[in-house]
């Protein structure tokens, strides 16, 4: 959704800025493909889901897991930050901020786990 929104904004901005200039569609597609590649957060979402699944597994095992959960929360922080830095979408930015707040709450609780 974010990519489609960005594409529409990009076409509008380009049309406005270059209204008197002929646009090379091939070059525009190349630039857009570069943006899509750089802003794709699917890999981060996959890793984030994996980290969450690992944390749930550790918690359900009822073993001493504080240090492991602390490491996983650091990895979650990295994925959240990377997602935020890649996205031009205000909606995703808001989700990133919410995820950061939730992760900070989790980190506080992890400090109380052995």
């Amino acid at each position: 959704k974010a990519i489609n929104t960005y594409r529409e904004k990009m076409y509008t901005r380009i049309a406005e800025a270059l209204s008197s200039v002929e646009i090379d569609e091939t070059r525009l597609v190349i630039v857009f493909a570069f943006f899509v590649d750089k802003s794709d957060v699917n890999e981060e979402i996959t890793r984030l889901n994996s980290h969450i699944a690992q944390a749930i597994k550790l918690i359900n095992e009822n073993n001493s897991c504080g240090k492991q959960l602390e490491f996983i929360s650091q990895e979650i922080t990295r994925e959240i930050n990377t997602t935020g830095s890649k996205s031009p979408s205000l909606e995703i930015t808001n989700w990133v901020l919410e995820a950061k707040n939730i992760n900070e709450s989790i980190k506080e609780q992890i400090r109380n786990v052995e």
Side-chain angles (χ1 to χ4, degrees), residues 63-77:
N63 294 325
S64 178
C65 61
K67 288 287 183 189
Q68 290 170 304
L69 288 173
E70 189 174 330
F71 175 76
I72 290 171
S73 72
Q74 290 173 348
E75 293 301 308
I76 288 172
T77 298

Side-chain angles (χ1 to χ4, degrees), residues 2-16 32 88-90:
I3 291 170
N4 288 333
T5 302
Y6 181 80
R7 179 176 25 143
E8 291 170 12
K9 285 182 182 179
M10 186 174 70
Y11 271 108
T12 302
R13 286 181 183 164
I14 290 171
E16 290 171 358
F32 183 71
S89 164
L90 180 59

Side-chain angles (χ1 to χ4, degrees), residues 7 11 17-18 22 36 43 59-60 64 84 89-90 102 112 114:
R7 179 176 25 143
Y11 271 108
L18 303 174
E22 186 175 327
V36 168
E43 187 175 331
I59 291 167
N60 288 333
S64 178
S89 164
L90 180 59
I102 291 168
N112 296 322
E114 288 186 25

Side-chain angles (χ1 to χ4, degrees), residues 1-11 13-14 27-42 44 83-90 92:
K1 181 179 175 184
I3 291 170
N4 288 333
T5 302
Y6 181 80
R7 179 176 25 143
E8 291 170 12
K9 285 182 182 179
M10 186 174 70
Y11 271 108
R13 286 181 183 164
I14 290 171
R27 184 151 172 87
L28 187 59
V29 168
I30 291 170
V31 170
F32 183 71
F34 178 77
F35 166 77
V36 168
D37 183 52
K38 292 296 180 189
S39 64
D40 183 12
V41 294
N42 286 321
E44 285 74 18
T83 299
S85 68
K86 283 185 165 185
S87 174
S89 164
L90 180 59
I92 293 174

Side-chain angles (χ1 to χ4, degrees), residues 48-58:
L48 185 58
N49 285 329
S50 173
H51 296 323
I52 292 169
Q54 286 177 311
I56 291 170
K57 182 180 177 191
L58 282 172

